[in-house]
Amino acid sequence: MQPIIYINKGPIQNVYWDYEDAAPGGPVGEISYLGTIYTNELFVQVDDYGSVWKVGIRSDNAKFEYGYIPIVSGQNFDYAYGSLYDYGYHTYKDNYQQKYVSGYKFLIRRKCRIFNGTTEVTSIYPGDFVVTDGNSNGGVSHPYRLSIKGYQKNGIFYALSNGWCDTDIEIGYSMANEATTYGQW
């Protein structure tokens, strides 16, 4: 499955090392607690087992780690980089490629690396922005990187066919007021 970057709009969600502890009827025996997804914290869904999701989080061990969460009523997870939290849906023109790109605008809080595939092509900074398709997809190899259609740097827009950018969830900027690439959360 293609990873999806979510924001937890509440309540607090416990994350477990073992699938069995997160599954209905669990935990069994000693609980394998990994960490917590707090309200307004970003995390990545990397697999879906129906009543349990495999997720990537910034754990209580201060590392990006994988664990499991039970899926129950009352949870409020939204696409972090979807149409609910963007700074508008716009069409931009890449003057170099003579190509138009439409998508959802998200802003940049600090240095943000831009990739074409796995190759870093540039960095952008506050005042610049990225454009997504609204699906909030993360990468298969780097699930904490956000899929983008293009970016604006120093007032010039650039389209990308296989674009990605940093969210920096994996290095500790997982709260809504910390994420490198951010929306109106």
Side-chain angles (χ1 to χ4, degrees), residues 17 34-36 41 56-66:
W17 280 107
L34 170 63
T36 304
E41 184 169 17
I57 66 164
R58 178 72 174 180
S59 74
D60 291 354
N61 299 323
K63 295 187 253 179
F64 186 80
E65 298 185 274
Y66 297 99

Side-chain angles (χ1 to χ4, degrees), residues 9-142:
K9 298 307 284 181
I12 291 173
Q13 176 66 56
N14 288 331
V15 181
Y16 303 97
W17 280 107
D18 295 326
Y19 172 87
E20 290 79 20
D21 288 343
V28 179
E30 187 174 329
I31 297 173
S32 62
Y33 178 74
L34 170 63
T36 304
I37 303 172
Y38 295 96
T39 301
N40 289 322
E41 184 169 17
L42 279 68
F43 69 96
V44 183
Q45 176 197 21
V46 294
D47 215 336
D48 183 346
Y49 302 108
S51 62
V52 175
W53 284 1
K54 182 176 182 181
V55 297
I57 66 164
R58 178 72 174 180
S59 74
D60 291 354
N61 299 323
K63 295 187 253 179
F64 186 80
E65 298 185 274
Y66 297 99
Y68 299 89
I69 60 173
I71 301 304
V72 296
S73 65
Q75 290 167 318
N76 189 3
F77 305 144
D78 293 328
Y79 282 9
Y81 298 101
S83 62
L84 287 176
Y85 305 112
D86 65 297
Y87 285 92
Y89 186 88
H90 304 281
T91 300
Y92 302 94
K93 183 178 181 185
D94 179 324
N95 286 319
Y96 296 105
Q97 298 181 52
Q98 295 300 309
K99 180 178 179 179
Y100 289 92
V101 173
S102 296
Y104 300 93
K105 178 181 176 179
F106 289 88
L107 305 181
I108 304 303
R109 182 170 276 121
R110 67 183 61 78
K111 178 184 176 182
C112 176
R113 297 175 302 162
I114 302 294
F115 300 86
N116 193 14
T118 57
T119 303
E120 185 176 342
V121 293
T122 193
S123 292
I124 60 177
Y125 298 88
D128 298 327
F129 61 84
V130 297
V131 174
T132 77
D133 61 7
N135 292 323
S136 204
N137 288 128
V140 173
S141 298
H142 302 281

